[in-house]
Amino acid sequence: MESEPVSEVLSCDDVNPYTHIAGLVAKQMGIRWVGSHHGALDGHYLIKECDADLLLAKGEMESDYLQQCGVPADRIEIGAPLRELPHKTARKKSSIVFFSEDYEASGGRAEDFYHDVLPPLSELAEQSGKKLVIKLHPAESQRDRRRIVRKVLSLRARQTVRLVCGPLTEELMEEIWFACTVVS
């Protein structure tokens, strides 16, 4: 930071010590530190003090969460408010989406996660008239995940399941009625 003209530091996961260090160094040098969290509202600010000068929230809900965790409101800025879709182009909220992860990379067993999570999500999808979408992480194998789905869901339940690979699309985001993940 001494050899480059750094004016601010953005840290997108201040629970990670490697990205946290850059923010602490910036703060020590009098450089503004802007932080954000890349994933779910996981509760880490309930036990950890916010060191960043400013936190970017992804909407009103995250802003409220951060304030409930004790982060002063004047240190929070909503950086990604939801944009309003024109009524005529808004999609029907037709899907329950399970954002899968590369569980094996962190020592997890994908089949165990799928066994615990997919049957209740499938049941909820059936009860609510929705489809169950499994959005795969880029590091996951579609063939392997399809094999696991066949193991953990009945034939009837599998008929309303769709596996989605590739980048997250706006179309998928617009059809989400409910979404969840495990070990984000």
Side-chain angles (χ1 to χ4, degrees):
M1 282 198 227
E2 292 175 354
S3 65
E4 295 294 328
V6 176
S7 60
E8 286 186 328
V9 169
L10 173 64
S11 168
C12 292
D13 183 0
D14 80 356
V15 175
N16 179 323
Y18 300 107
T19 57
H20 195 81
I21 288 170
L24 292 173
V25 170
K27 196 167 187 149
Q28 200 171 46
M29 296 176 72
I31 298 170
R32 186 168 118 141
W33 174 11
V34 178
S36 70
H37 188 59
H38 71 282
L41 308 179
D42 61 9
H44 73 272
Y45 284 115
L46 289 169
I47 56 173
K48 177 187 171 304
E49 187 128 345
C50 173
D51 295 315
D53 298 307
L54 179 72
L55 281 177
L56 296 177
K58 293 177 283 301
E60 288 292 332
M61 184 171 84
E62 186 174 22
S63 176
D64 292 344
Y65 153 79
L66 291 169
Q67 290 175 57
Q68 290 297 316
C69 291
V71 178
D74 64 344
R75 290 179 54 202
I76 301 168
E77 185 171 317
I78 296 176
L82 293 175
R83 64 180 177 84
E84 294 295 321
L85 292 173
H87 180 67
K88 64 181 180 180
T89 62
R91 293 182 181 266
K92 181 178 178 243
K93 304 295 183 183
S94 59
S95 300
I96 292 175
V97 177
F98 174 61
F99 287 96
S100 190
E101 294 281 333
D102 182 15
Y103 300 110
E104 295 85 355
S106 61
R109 295 192 315 248
E111 191 170 323
D112 291 341
F113 287 117
Y114 275 42
H115 182 268
D116 290 344
V117 174
L118 292 186
L121 285 178
S122 175
E123 188 176 319
L124 177 61
E126 184 179 343
Q127 290 171 357
S128 60
K130 310 293 182 195
K131 300 256 186 221
L132 176 58
V133 174
I134 301 169
K135 170 60 178 90
L136 299 180
H137 185 277
E140 290 181 289
S141 157
Q142 183 178 11
R143 189 171 137 227
D144 181 59
R145 293 310 190 242
R146 196 175 304 283
R147 178 191 59 77
I148 295 172
V149 168
R150 280 194 302 269
K151 262 181 142 172
V152 303
L153 290 179
S154 70
L155 176 61
R156 177 184 160 144
R158 289 194 311 262
Q159 292 175 354
T160 62
V161 172
R162 184 174 98 221
L163 268 71
V164 174
C165 299
L168 183 59
T169 64
E170 195 168 311
E171 290 79 16
L172 179 60
M173 291 298 291
E174 289 175 4
E175 73 182 56
I176 295 175
W177 176 69
F178 170 82
C180 73
T181 189
V182 177
V183 191
S184 174

